[in-house]
Amino acid sequence: LQPEIITPDEKAVDGGLLPDANGKEPNPGGQTEGSKWQRPRLSRKSLMKCCLVKWIIASTTQQGPDSSDSDLELSMVRHQPEGLEQLQAQTQFTRKELQSLYRGFKNECPSGLVDEETFKSIYSQFFPQGDATTYAHFLFNAFDMDRNGSIRFEDFVLGLSVLLRGSVTEKLRWAFNLYDINKDGYITKEEMMAIMTSIYDMMGRYTLPSVRDDSPGEHVEKFFQKMDRNRDGVVTIDEFIETCQKDENIMASMQLFENVI
């Protein structure tokens, strides 16, 4: 569902399912030939390609060596009693990863909340070659589950955990929620077109193949031909998940989804 991305400081972004230098298809997660697609384990290198993680880690680095892990744990306890232990149980992040994420989050957002303008600033920074405003708006709304205009640290890391280390089904449910802009439980062609156009607008010229004006429309048409089983003009979450899991090309595209998060 996503085009391949090229960023200014590196060649093609490794989505984990791209061919290697010899033109051979990679072997994700130790998959044997003829077996079902398996989710590869996300490496630290892949984790650092997530814009939201890079934003947090950069903020942590700027703080310098004065903030110790023990100080951070006390800060976390003051923020929410036993919050660190709860989040470790609810996410796929380690204790140290949560501590690093929290340190950067509090440095960037002392109030403990992220607003939509912050998301727009993050994605404008990482995708300066395009216009990230609309995509950042849609992504923020996907994280802001209670629709109150702000995201707490807990919601932030719960979403990141699904996107970066969740199961295939969990990732697909999250993606469906992103595409379902009005949250009515269905994806329309108009909603899919809005999301795809926002991604193309954000990525600008750093895409393979190069972006053409008709590309988002082509993606939407292909999407609905495969997904809309009963031809009623909308896609349900069951249609979405079932079709994605049976289609290797869509699953490969979903692996690239992490590159625009």
Side-chain angles (χ1 to χ4, degrees):
L1 300 180
Q2 317 296 343
E4 182 182 345
I5 303 164
I6 289 183
T7 55
D9 57 343
E10 60 185 328
K11 300 289 185 182
V13 172
D14 177 12
L17 292 178
L18 301 177
D20 63 18
N22 298 320
K24 296 178 181 178
E25 291 298 321
N27 186 20
Q31 176 183 358
T32 57
E33 190 172 350
S35 65
K36 197 172 182 180
W37 184 90
Q38 297 177 22
R39 176 173 57 94
R41 180 63 179 171
L42 192 67
S43 65
R44 175 171 174 77
K45 180 180 177 183
S46 298
L47 183 68
M48 285 304 296
K49 285 172 182 165
C50 170
C51 296
L52 295 176
V53 172
K54 284 192 285 191
W55 166 67
I56 287 292
I57 298 301
S59 177
T60 304
T61 304
Q62 290 169 6
Q63 273 193 316
D66 293 333
S67 297
S68 67
D69 282 350
S70 59
D71 291 337
L72 183 63
E73 289 182 65
L74 289 174
S75 180
M76 173 65 86
V77 169
R78 286 197 298 270
H79 172 62
Q80 178 183 354
E82 299 180 350
L84 187 60
E85 287 74 18
Q86 286 181 344
L87 287 175
Q88 192 175 352
Q90 292 173 330
T91 68
Q92 298 296 319
F93 292 124
T94 65
R95 184 182 185 88
K96 284 190 175 181
E97 286 172 335
L98 285 169
Q99 288 174 335
S100 294
L101 290 170
Y102 181 70
R103 179 188 298 155
F105 186 93
K106 288 292 283 184
N107 190 48
E108 288 288 338
C109 309
S111 68
L113 299 172
V114 173
D115 59 19
E116 185 173 326
E117 289 305 311
T118 303
F119 260 54
K120 290 178 179 178
S121 175
I122 294 168
Y123 283 88
S124 295
Q125 173 187 343
F126 285 108
F127 294 91
Q129 70 280 358
D131 181 359
T133 304
T134 306
Y135 177 75
H137 167 74
F138 290 141
L139 189 66
F140 179 86
N141 285 343
F143 272 90
D144 183 18
M145 296 300 291
D146 53 8
R147 310 300 289 272
N148 67 357
S150 59
I151 302 170
R152 299 178 308 148
F153 176 71
E154 291 86 341
D155 298 327
F156 183 76
V157 293
L158 285 171
L160 278 185
S161 178
V162 170
L163 287 166
L164 298 174
R165 292 180 177 167
S167 67
V168 171
T169 301
E170 287 171 337
K171 285 185 177 182
L172 291 175
R173 286 186 179 278
W174 202 97
F176 183 91
N177 176 57
L178 172 67
Y179 296 132
D180 179 16
I181 295 173
N182 67 357
K183 313 305 178 194
D184 66 351
Y186 302 96
I187 302 175
T188 65
K189 277 190 179 183
E190 291 75 18
E191 287 176 321
M192 188 64 193
M193 186 68 181
I195 296 291
M196 289 304 305
T197 301
S198 73
I199 292 173
Y200 275 78
D201 287 346
M202 177 178 70
M203 287 172 11
R205 59 191 172 90
Y206 293 103
T207 57
L208 286 178
S210 59
V211 173
R212 303 187 309 276
D213 289 341
D214 59 346
S215 293
E218 290 176 2
H219 275 277
V220 172
E221 286 302 322
K222 290 177 182 177
F223 176 87
F224 269 85
Q225 283 178 13
K226 291 182 177 181
M227 300 271 178
D228 186 11
R229 300 286 182 85
N230 60 359
R231 299 292 182 261
D232 62 353
V234 296
V235 173
T236 65
I237 192 166
D238 291 335
E239 287 175 323
F240 183 84
I241 292 175
E242 185 177 350
T243 307
C244 285
Q245 290 182 329
K246 289 182 178 179
D247 191 301
E248 291 183 4
N249 291 328
I250 294 180
M251 290 309 301
S253 296
M254 287 304 301
Q255 185 63 26
L256 289 174
F257 184 69
E258 69 193 47
N259 293 321
V260 288
I261 296 299

